[in-house]
Amino acid sequence: MFFHSVLSPQSSVLLLIPATMPPLVAFLVTFVFTRRQPRLSAGLSIGSIAVSLVCSLVLLGLNFKMTGPVQYSVRLLASSGLDIPFGFLLDQLNLLMIVVVSSICFLVQVYSLGYMAGDPGFSRYYAFMSLFAWAMMNLTLSPTLLQLYIFWELVGLSSYLLIGFWYEKFSATQAGKKAFVMTRAGDAAFFIGFLLVFLHTGNLSIPDLNGPAVSAAFPPTVLTLSALLIFGGIVGKSAQFPLLTWLPDAMEGPTPVSALLHSATMVAAGVYLFARLFPFFSMSPAAMEVFLAIGTISMFLAATMAIVSRDIKKVWAFSTISQLGFMIMALGAGGYFAGVFHLTAHAGFKSLLFLCSGVFIHRYGTNDVYELGRLGARRMIVPTVTIILAAAALSGFWPLSGYYSKEAVMGSLASLPNPAWLAAGLVGVFLTAYYSFRLIFILVLPRAVGPPAGLPAASGGGRKTDERHPNSEIRHLSMAWPLIVLTAITVMLGFLRNPLKDFLQVGITAGGAAEGGPFEWFHVAAPGLAVAGAVLAWVEFGRRGAKQIGFVERVPPLYRLFAERWYIDHFYRLLVNVVVDKGISYLCYQNDNKVIDRSIDELGEGTIEGGRIVAFLQSGMIQYRLLVIFAVMVLLSIYFFFPVF
Amino acid sequence: MISAVVIGATAIAITRRNMVHAVVYLIVSYFGTAMLFYLFGAPLLAALEIIIYAGAIMVLFLFVVMMIKVESPEEVMFPLSQWLPAAVFGLIYLAAAVVMIVETPGMEVSLRMLTATPGQFALYVFEHHWFSIEVISILLLLALIGALCLGIGKGARCEGGRADSVSTPPEAASAAAEEEI
Amino acid sequence: MIVPFGHVLLVAGIIFALGVFCAVVRRNLIMIVLGIEIMLNAASIVFVGAALRWNNLDGQTFVLFILAVAATEVSVGLAIIVYAFRRTGSFDPSNFNLLR
């Protein structure tokens, strides 16, 4: 084809710049200049991300047959013995990621034209979206851990800005702060981890880390420790246990933000890092075990929380945590392709789920599923159909993309010696199908009788607009066709499985897990469980005459446990109150007052007192003069007498 | 032993609140000093000390003390803020003195007994230091004149019957001075 | 019995310290002059002792001069004190602090 004939490193480099820089330009211009012109801001932003998308696609096409990673870098930080390049790294994983990131960014920004229309912060929204796009693109292209960390932090920053976008709402600012602080805690661990790496190997570049020379440079315990610490960053960013409570609260932001950041890309940055350092992590089997465990716990906890939630966005948020747990399980078990493929597929259908929910929320102004159902959500055709398809993909129904990705994950879990992991995975599949179809049925087949009393109601959609939107047809169109595009991707992606697998597996030599034979027992069990979950949901929620009470709700203690998110939030609140406020702040405050201030005061007072004493001698009394004469005489005699001085 | 007497008398003298008592104790101390001089082989000096120091100077003090009628001991004795620095320095001085005395070689030499008779002493003085004698006499003259000026200058402005009591101290001073010569 | 020279110096030193103490601590002008007298006395003891130590009559000569000078300054000093007393009515040296 035409592209292949132009294949050369120079053209890749030339394409990298327009692939990554336009969103930055858009951010700066929008933030500074075009605040008052919403259409211009939106146009700039969408235009820049479109450019990025096109360049990413071209890059993917150009380098589809590449054999090894390519790096273009410029030396930025250089001192004696320390050499950290800045630039771009291109390999298969990167290319896939930038296509995913830019395409979803583009679709979400188009969607936002409709969703955020009329909002006073329209330009600010697009500015932050561009900032996020730029940071995420560069994060995926970083060649060194340091550059990755810089962009990691930038992504966290834009997440904070976007979650707290409607800053007049107190809960939104609180949520933004919570998100930032929790991811920051993870980032601190990440920083220490890569400092450890740096101390031992002297450089941070990722290709070197993945190479075979690294294991020689580390003692094994330090390797495990640094792997665990870097994973701490992943725990924070991807909302795994124990730092998982920020993601449900992050739903305070606008729905497109949730679609972009908190389902498809930002939280996927953690999984991306895992995949990026996959050979490095594989060198430490103990660490991989820990990762596996954490992934499993997160998946399970989040799935239970999703079962009892009433807020449509929170259900998908918990689902995101759960699916990320799946990805980490897969990667921890050694299934590189499984994890990455699930990441890609999940990006597709999860953002689709959020966007559909966004349409409902935008139209009816409430987040509560029961309300939405009763208000007649199913009358909107396009969102309803797409949400059903997306939920099916999430549950893993054939032939949608979710089926293939779940298969891959199960396969990698089955290759582990301990069957408990596979069992946990299967339970997860069941729960996933259950909660997604529960939501679908409540939404689509509402009952006149409301939910049982005792369930806490979900808060409103977070918007203050009550009026009817003018030009609603255009708006709905702009919101509609991203949904269609995403649905198409979701359906089609499954068939791209094998080419993708070959593409990705080229560079990865370590940790290859077999995916089992073509027809193992779990190939039947997994979709069977998915169907079983859906059937259970149908029995409880969908059937004519069903009372829409889930089996969990019949067991109040269990229900309360799940609804209170396993009391993790309470634990954190307690921790902050007791340890931080009463302990550390108290100590610091006392130290500040008593030690630091006091010593300065004493210095001053001492000086005054000393002056007072000395001034005594100048009072004019001749006797003091005499005394001074005498004293001086004595001192002089001592001085002259003793040859020591 | 005599030195103990001297030291004791001096110590008591400085702590008397009543000035007359202090002067009397000091006279005792001078007697002791005279004895010391005698023991050190300077009999002329011993006699001179008693006559001049104890006899004239202290008497002069007594005259002045009794003339100035100090009605009540209004003196504030030994305020601590004054006393403490002086004591501190005194102790430092003594410590330094002791160290110096112990360290200096030749301090253990016992003094040989040797007496300078007055004739020998006078011969020596006038032979070697005659110029200083002249200077001292001029000094005494000046002191006399000064004391007179101070006294008379003051007395001339005093009225009435206080003239004679005022002029007594300059007279006593001039009397003491003339004894020297 | 004749004592070692060190003892002589020590005695004189003690007397001198007492004289300084008297001059500095007593709040009475006359006592200040008295203290000076004590100091001069101590100095003359040292001189006589030194004369005996080194067999030199200069020590004793100097004591003669000390005697004369002491008399001089006592007379003048007392005249000044009387004058000051007439002016201010008290003997406390803390009142004479115009030179502060």
Side-chain angles (χ1 to χ4, degrees), chain A residues 64-65 92 96 337 341 492-506:
Chain A
F64 199 71
K65 296 272 193 282
Q92 298 87 344
L96 185 63
F337 171 69
F341 187 51
M492 292 300 139
L493 196 59
F495 301 108
L496 286 174
R497 175 168 153 257
N498 283 325
L500 269 178
K501 180 168 166 198
D502 296 331
F503 174 65
L504 280 174
Q505 289 281 118
V506 169

Side-chain angles (χ1 to χ4, degrees), chain A residues 618-627 630 633, chain C residues 16 20 23-24 26-27 32 93-94 97 99-100:
Chain A
Q618 293 287 60
S619 60
M621 291 256 290
I622 51 174
Q623 293 175 307
Y624 294 131
R625 307 267 173 100
L626 262 179
L627 183 61
F630 179 59
M633 253 175 34
Chain C
F16 187 80
V20 170
V24 169
R26 295 296 296 256
R27 288 226 170 205
I32 296 180
S94 59
N97 53 6
L99 206 57
R100 181 208 300 247

Side-chain angles (χ1 to χ4, degrees), chain A residues 553-567:
Chain A
E553 288 145 14
R554 295 176 203 268
V555 186
L558 208 58
Y559 172 72
R560 223 173 312 126
L561 181 64
F562 295 158
E564 294 289 331
R565 303 185 196 165
W566 292 71
Y567 296 106

Side-chain angles (χ1 to χ4, degrees), chain B residues 75-156:
Chain B
E75 171 186 345
V76 175
M77 281 294 279
F78 294 177
L80 187 68
S81 57
Q82 263 182 292
W83 178 72
L84 205 55
V88 165
F89 275 110
L91 283 172
I92 294 177
Y93 160 74
L94 278 177
V98 166
V99 171
M100 280 191 220
I101 291 169
V102 166
E103 295 285 330
T104 312
M107 284 297 135
E108 296 82 22
V109 174
S110 291
L111 302 171
R112 266 184 0 215
M113 183 61 186
L114 205 62
T115 306
T117 58
Q120 290 172 327
F121 176 60
L123 199 62
Y124 180 77
V125 170
F126 278 106
E127 183 178 343
H128 291 273
H129 302 291
W130 57 269
F131 185 65
S132 309
I133 302 283
E134 303 302 322
V135 170
I136 293 280
S137 55
I138 294 179
L139 181 66
L140 285 168
L141 183 64
L142 287 174
L144 180 63
I145 297 172
L148 274 174
C149 277
L150 275 175
I152 289 177
K154 188 64 188 156

Side-chain angles (χ1 to χ4, degrees), chain A residues 144-480:
Chain A
T144 62
L145 277 180
L146 180 64
Q147 188 174 348
L148 196 143
Y149 184 72
I150 293 173
F151 285 109
W152 182 274
E153 293 288 338
L154 274 173
V155 167
L157 171 69
S158 34
S159 160
Y160 165 74
L161 290 170
L162 282 168
I163 292 174
F165 180 70
W166 287 315
Y167 53 83
E168 301 91 5
K169 252 179 70 168
F170 181 65
S171 57
T173 52
Q174 287 288 80
K177 200 169 55 166
K178 181 173 180 182
F180 194 68
V181 169
M182 288 182 105
T183 48
R184 194 79 196 90
D187 294 345
F190 182 18
F191 190 70
I192 298 178
F194 87 69
L195 272 183
L196 267 180
V197 166
F198 186 65
L199 279 175
H200 282 266
T201 58
N203 72 350
L204 287 173
S205 80
I206 297 183
D208 286 345
L209 273 184
N210 288 341
V214 177
S215 58
F218 274 90
T221 46
V222 176
L223 187 67
T224 311
L225 184 65
S226 51
L228 283 173
L229 284 172
I230 295 180
F231 190 69
I234 298 179
V235 164
K237 186 68 83 174
S238 299
Q240 298 297 293
F241 180 79
L243 291 173
L244 54 81
T245 54
W246 65 268
L247 194 52
D249 291 335
M251 297 299 119
E252 296 281 344
T255 310
V257 168
S258 307
L260 182 57
L261 265 66
H262 305 127
S263 59
T265 42
M266 189 185 100
V267 294
V271 179
Y272 165 73
L273 179 64
F274 195 153
R276 176 43 84 221
L277 289 178
F278 186 74
F280 178 67
F281 286 153
S282 314
M283 288 185 223
S284 161
M288 295 290 257
E289 288 273 324
V290 172
F291 302 159
L292 198 60
I294 290 182
T296 314
I297 295 176
S298 320
M299 177 207 62
F300 183 66
L301 284 183
T304 55
M305 292 182 207
I307 296 177
V308 298
S309 180
R310 277 187 70 149
D311 185 330
I312 191 173
K313 280 173 71 170
K314 288 208 169 51
V315 171
W316 303 134
F318 290 127
S319 169
T320 305
I321 302 177
S322 183
Q323 297 303 306
L324 286 170
F326 262 119
M327 289 176 221
I328 293 192
M329 281 167 79
L331 284 171
Y336 177 77
F337 171 69
V340 174
F341 187 51
H342 193 53
L343 177 65
T344 316
H346 175 261
F349 53 72
K350 189 48 70 65
S351 51
L352 178 59
L353 281 171
F354 269 108
L355 292 180
C356 298
S357 320
V359 174
F360 291 132
I361 294 171
H362 182 84
R363 177 78 171 81
Y364 293 108
T366 169
N367 273 4
D368 185 273
V369 163
Y370 290 98
E371 291 271 330
L372 282 174
R374 245 178 303 135
L375 285 171
R378 63 182 171 165
R379 277 185 256 130
M380 306 170 70
I381 309 271
V382 170
T384 313
V385 169
T386 48
I387 203 172
I388 294 179
L389 278 175
L394 177 59
S395 316
F397 282 7
W398 188 88
L400 301 169
S401 59
Y403 168 74
Y404 290 106
S405 61
K406 284 267 171 55
E407 286 298 304
V409 170
M410 292 300 133
S412 56
L413 284 179
S415 68
L416 288 175
N418 192 348
W421 303 117
L422 182 60
L426 290 174
V427 170
V429 169
F430 175 72
L431 285 176
T432 309
Y434 178 66
Y435 64 67
S436 14
F437 275 96
R438 164 182 176 266
L439 193 132
I440 296 293
F441 289 134
I442 296 178
L443 194 64
V444 172
L445 303 171
R447 295 281 168 267
V449 51
L455 282 184
S459 61
R463 298 282 306 279
K464 299 191 301 258
T465 55
D466 300 310
E467 71 276 13
R468 292 276 107 197
H469 297 282
N471 302 330
S472 40
E473 297 84 19
I474 299 180
R475 214 145 282 128
H476 285 160
L477 203 64
S478 72
M479 288 202 278

Side-chain angles (χ1 to χ4, degrees), chain B residues 6 14 16 19 30 33 41-42 48 53 68 75 78 82-83 106-107 111-112 124 129 132 140 143 166, chain C residues 2 5-6 15 21 24-28 37 41 48 52-53 55 57-58 60 64-65 67-68 72 85-86:
Chain B
V6 173
I14 68 176
R16 290 302 103 194
M19 279 189 280
Y30 285 143
T33 308
L48 275 179
Y53 230 124
I68 311 288
E75 171 186 345
F78 294 177
Q82 263 182 292
W83 178 72
M107 284 297 135
L111 302 171
R112 266 184 0 215
Y124 180 77
H129 302 291
S132 309
L140 285 168
V166 171
Chain C
I2 288 298
F5 187 51
I15 297 178
F21 191 75
V24 169
V25 173
R26 295 296 296 256
R27 288 226 170 205
N28 195 334
E37 295 308 308
N41 190 23
V48 168
L52 189 57
R53 165 84 170 79
N55 294 328
L57 277 180
D58 280 332
Q60 299 187 358
L64 191 61
F65 299 150
L67 241 40
T72 308
F85 180 71
R86 290 284 158 86

